[in-house]
Amino acid sequence: NGRASPAYATSTNQASVFAENRLILSDQLSFLTGVRFDAPTLHRRNLQTGDTFARSFEALSYRFGLVYNPTPDSALYVQYATATDPVGSLISLSQTNANFDLSTGEQIEVGAKGLALNGALEWTVAGYRIVKDNLISAVPGQPNVSTQVGRQSSHGVEGALALRLPDGWRIDANLALLHAQYDEFREGAVSYAGNQPIDVPERVANVWLNWAFARDWEARIGLQNVGRVFSDFSNTAPRPDYTLAHLGLDHQVTPASRLSLRVYNLFDTTYAISGNAVDGIGTNWILGRPRSFEVAYSVAW
């Protein structure tokens, strides 16, 4: 029967400026550039104690890349980009987390995409490396306590395709394979360098089979696979990989409205989407969505 009362008052000002440019070097080659500057300022007051604090951040990021079109239906590209992530949500930023540095990162990516079979096949493949510094991570088993990771990196490949088949059939599939690790991360005398970051799977795959079996009707079945993850920094509390099946049925009632029936986790698989660990031992898991049904009607105007 207690009454809720406001705890904090927060004022956040955000100033940003960005610019982008595409320089056409030839009929087949373009040079892309971009730059962005962010300067958020936070003022926060504890309405119960009267304590206040303020913090200003400044972040400059940029990117550049080349795009080459060997044919009208294909493109090769390479890109380098930097980025800055805020330390959590600025509006709810605690005074403790406000003392953390901004998280910064850089990425290099090469890839290709295109159309084939007279447009029936759309494909994409890419390889990348991402490095991030000063990431904020919740301490396993202590969700209200955060720590700052020195450096974390990942590299991997991704691919996707969409293939239209005769008689209204279509296949959509994508796959991501990667290796992620802490490069620099110590807690006291313990180093977690080389370990897989918590809650980061190193394999994610999806495949959908769609069938437009009648006018304005489409059915689909899909499989989703997520690889093993860990609940602790030391990689001694794993959560197993899982595969889920989903169903869907859509009816285009009018050109601007659609009725959908969806079945999630068709086989009612038990799987974990998050978890905690203390001293390398899993203490509890939060289970994912069981078999469930959803009906939706969407209208556009």
Side-chain angles (χ1 to χ4, degrees):
N1 296 326
R3 295 179 58 189
S5 59
Y8 298 96
T10 302
S11 174
T12 305
N13 297 315
Q14 172 75 47
S16 302
V17 61
F18 66 92
E20 294 182 338
N21 183 64
R22 179 190 179 200
L23 178 62
I24 299 176
L25 302 176
S26 71
D27 291 341
Q28 295 177 297
L29 185 64
S30 297
F31 181 56
L32 308 178
T33 56
V35 63
R36 180 183 180 95
F37 179 74
D38 294 287
T41 301
L42 169 72
H43 299 271
R44 192 175 191 190
R45 181 163 59 94
N46 188 317
L47 298 178
Q48 298 176 352
T49 66
D51 294 336
T52 63
F53 78 91
R55 179 73 192 271
S56 296
F57 299 96
E58 293 183 353
L60 178 67
S61 58
Y62 56 90
R63 66 184 178 91
F64 54 86
L66 288 171
V67 178
Y68 174 66
N69 298 101
T71 69
D73 291 332
S74 63
L76 306 176
Y77 68 91
V78 58
Q79 175 181 266
Y80 175 81
T82 66
T84 303
D85 292 329
V87 187
S89 172
L90 290 178
I91 293 177
S92 59
L93 187 66
S94 69
Q95 187 167 0
T96 300
N97 286 0
N99 295 324
F100 287 140
D101 295 327
L102 291 175
S103 300
T104 59
E106 61 180 11
Q107 172 181 325
I108 185 168
E109 179 178 350
V110 295
K113 57 180 60 180
L115 300 174
L117 305 177
N118 294 322
L121 174 64
E122 182 177 352
W123 57 272
T124 301
V125 63
Y128 65 89
R129 174 172 168 78
I130 301 173
V131 177
K132 289 189 174 183
D133 296 285
N134 300 320
L135 289 171
I136 304 298
S137 178
V139 176
Q142 303 178 65
N144 296 323
V145 180
S146 298
T147 186
Q148 193 152 38
V149 178
R151 171 170 288 191
Q152 178 177 318
S153 67
S154 65
H155 61 269
V157 294
E158 298 180 354
L161 64 84
L163 176 63
R164 293 199 312 271
L165 300 171
D167 301 321
W169 292 91
R170 188 177 82 253
I171 297 175
D172 295 288
N174 58 73
L175 172 67
L177 299 173
L178 63 124
H179 174 70
Q181 69 176 29
Y182 296 121
D183 297 317
E184 299 174 12
F185 183 19
R186 301 185 67 91
E187 284 190 327
V190 180
S191 173
Y192 299 114
N195 288 1
Q196 185 174 327
I198 61 173
D199 297 330
V200 176
E202 294 192 331
R203 182 186 68 253
V204 177
N206 298 275
V207 59
W208 284 90
L209 180 62
N210 303 266
W211 183 31
F213 59 91
R215 180 180 176 86
D216 298 328
W217 287 89
E218 185 174 39
R220 63 178 58 86
I221 182 171
L223 294 176
Q224 175 190 16
N225 176 261
V226 178
R228 181 186 64 172
V229 300
F230 291 95
S231 298
D232 64 333
F233 298 134
S234 59
N235 288 179
T236 56
R239 300 199 308 271
D241 63 346
Y242 58 86
T243 300
L244 306 178
H246 310 294
L247 296 177
L249 179 65
D250 291 340
H251 175 49
Q252 196 72 37
V253 181
T254 69
S257 64
R258 172 173 292 197
L259 178 67
S260 301
L261 170 64
R262 305 176 186 123
V263 182
Y264 296 96
N265 194 358
L266 176 64
F267 300 113
D268 203 21
T269 301
T270 300
Y271 63 102
I273 58 173
S274 66
N276 291 326
V278 176
D279 296 328
I281 300 174
T283 56
N284 61 76
W285 288 352
I286 297 178
L287 299 183
R289 189 174 190 173
R291 182 192 296 122
S292 52
F293 303 85
E294 182 177 281
V295 177
Y297 186 70
S298 58
V299 180
W301 64 89

